[in-house]
Amino acid sequence: CNASKKDTSKIEKDNGIIVGFSQIGAESAWRTCNTRSVQEAAAARGVQLVYDNAEQKQENQIKALRSFIAYQVDVIVFVPIVTDGWDNVLQEARDAGIPVLVTDRKIDVENQSLYAGFIGTDSLKEGRNAGQFVLDTFESKRDKDHINIVELFGTEGSSVALGRAEGFREVLKDHPEYRIIYSKSGDFLRSRGYELAIEFLEMYDDIDVIYSHNDGMTLGAIEAMEEKGLRPGKDIVIITIDAQQAAIDALRGGKVNCVIECNPKTGPEIIELAEKLAAGESIPRLQYVHEEVFYETDDLSLIEPRGY
Ligand code: GYE
């Protein structure tokens, strides 16, 4: 994910198409990589990208979408920070005849036809993979009555945090010995992961598992654990989602036990879909990107550099 130096702030409709891209912010390494991936793919295809960073506020995103409509971009691409509250602005886009591609996070709208399609991560599957890893890990350790789990939750109301929570619980629901004793939102921020870890490590001394919705929060929690003289990955089993390089390094170093990949490099697919929409073609309703799971027991030398 190398940065694109192209200035996308100017709108000059000469050749090619114009895509309005509303990103939610820069809360994590994942997000920054995702933004660059879209910018680079647009530049490579000669697509003009009007980029807006909503700084984690839905109201900013709605404003950005409205400005894209006013500028009459050809296609709107957006990462919805939360699932709800998009009906009105999407109706406005529809009235203006601008097709909308939803990416990364999903939305809940009454009229499904208000957006053309979705491309992004399968967060429910990620959550299930995390739950299955917990079951597999503790299956052999019959000496414990209860497995105490701490969950570092992503942004509240975001489809990815909801999916990661739901998939995880679904797998564990018939196993009452697995207890989620603490679950709080760290907003996908490393700093919040650190703060929450300080809090839960103070509250409990019998935590078996940390299930973290992203690597940023995980890295913050690891820092807090080490400050307390705890050994992440050994005293507490750690599962994390994203697979940025620092998390893979932590897996190699035995500080993390399972890394569930979430792929941010969707720019080429996003731009291809946007070009199709601009040409009046139809696109798939739902497209999940390919994602893997990396376990501590794998041959970790085979993992390619992550690039972010
Ligand atoms: O896991 C996290 C980011 O929406 C899938 O948002 C994305 C998540 C990703 O900030 O690191």
Side-chain angles (χ1 to χ4, degrees):
C1 261
N2 300 315
S4 161
K5 296 281 183 290
K6 192 166 179 259
D7 178 7
T8 50
S9 63
K10 292 191 195 68
I11 301 162
E12 294 164 25
K13 195 160 189 167
D14 40 27
N15 52 9
I17 62 164
I18 297 181
V19 173
F21 175 44
S22 167
Q23 179 60 283
I24 58 175
E27 74 282 3
S28 63
W30 190 100
R31 182 68 49 207
T32 314
C33 179
N34 180 243
T35 301
R36 285 175 187 162
S37 175
V38 175
Q39 288 174 332
E40 285 175 1
R45 298 282 306 167
V47 166
Q48 288 191 52
L49 197 72
V50 189
Y51 168 71
D52 184 85
N53 174 343
E55 291 173 353
Q56 308 299 320
K57 290 204 178 75
Q58 183 174 31
E59 61 197 83
N60 289 347
Q61 260 198 303
I62 291 174
K63 266 187 213 150
L65 297 192
R66 291 209 164 111
S67 75
F68 297 158
I69 295 168
Y71 285 130
Q72 297 183 297
V73 299
D74 296 296
V75 179
I76 289 174
V77 176
F78 87 114
V79 178
I81 181 152
V82 290
T83 52
D84 295 345
W86 303 104
D87 299 72
N88 290 345
V89 71
L90 292 187
Q91 186 59 52
E92 291 165 31
R94 152 68 51 83
D95 294 344
I98 302 172
V100 174
L101 173 66
V102 177
T103 184
D104 171 21
R105 299 186 181 174
K106 291 182 177 172
I107 55 173
D108 247 337
V109 276
E110 219 154 275
N111 177 358
Q112 293 299 316
S113 77
L114 285 180
Y115 65 99
F118 165 86
I119 178 164
T121 194
D122 186 348
S123 55
L124 202 59
K125 184 170 144 202
E126 291 167 343
R128 288 184 187 131
N129 283 334
Q132 195 55 51
F133 177 75
V134 173
L135 284 186
D136 294 345
T137 302
F138 289 93
E139 204 180 15
S140 50
K141 296 182 186 164
R142 289 279 173 227
D143 51 323
K144 299 207 72 166
D145 288 347
H146 290 111
I147 310 300
N148 292 329
I149 302 168
V150 157
E151 178 179 46
L152 290 174
F153 199 93
T155 297
E156 274 176 68
S158 68
S159 70
V160 283
L162 293 167
R164 287 167 186 180
E166 188 186 330
F168 187 72
R169 283 162 180 74
E170 184 191 297
V171 172
L172 297 178
K173 75 172 186 305
D174 296 328
H175 304 269
E177 64 279 24
Y178 292 84
R179 305 190 298 199
I180 301 174
I181 56 170
Y182 176 104
S183 174
K184 268 196 191 174
S185 168
D187 239 339
F188 289 123
L189 294 168
R190 181 182 174 132
S191 58
R192 287 290 292 147
Y194 175 85
E195 285 165 16
L196 292 179
I198 297 282
E199 180 180 88
F200 64 67
L201 293 172
E202 201 58 50
M203 289 168 68
Y204 306 99
D205 57 10
D206 52 354
I207 298 166
D208 298 294
V209 176
I210 296 174
Y211 167 42
S212 167
H213 287 191
N214 89 334
D215 290 346
M217 295 189 293
T218 309
L219 296 168
I222 286 177
E223 194 182 323
M225 282 186 73
E226 288 181 330
E227 275 177 23
K228 284 213 156 227
L230 291 165
R231 297 169 309 162
K234 296 191 174 59
D235 298 324
I236 300 178
V237 168
I238 301 185
I239 305 150
T240 186
I241 302 181
D242 276 354
Q244 70 183 72
Q245 189 60 49
I248 296 299
D249 293 345
L251 184 70
R252 288 195 174 119
K255 296 183 181 187
V256 158
N257 307 81
C258 176
V259 179
I260 295 163
E261 182 190 18
C262 178
N263 185 357
K265 297 179 191 170
T266 46
E269 289 88 347
I270 288 171
I271 295 302
E272 201 188 312
L273 292 170
E275 286 180 313
K276 283 198 173 140
L277 288 174
E281 292 169 34
S282 63
I283 61 164
R285 217 25 225 166
L286 179 72
Q287 235 179 299
Y288 289 129
V289 290
H290 176 77
E291 291 167 340
E292 293 186 36
V293 183
F294 305 109
Y295 302 99
E296 56 190 341
T297 46
D298 290 349
D299 180 353
L300 301 176
S301 68
L302 298 177
I303 304 175
E304 299 275 332
R306 307 294 301 156
Y308 80 104

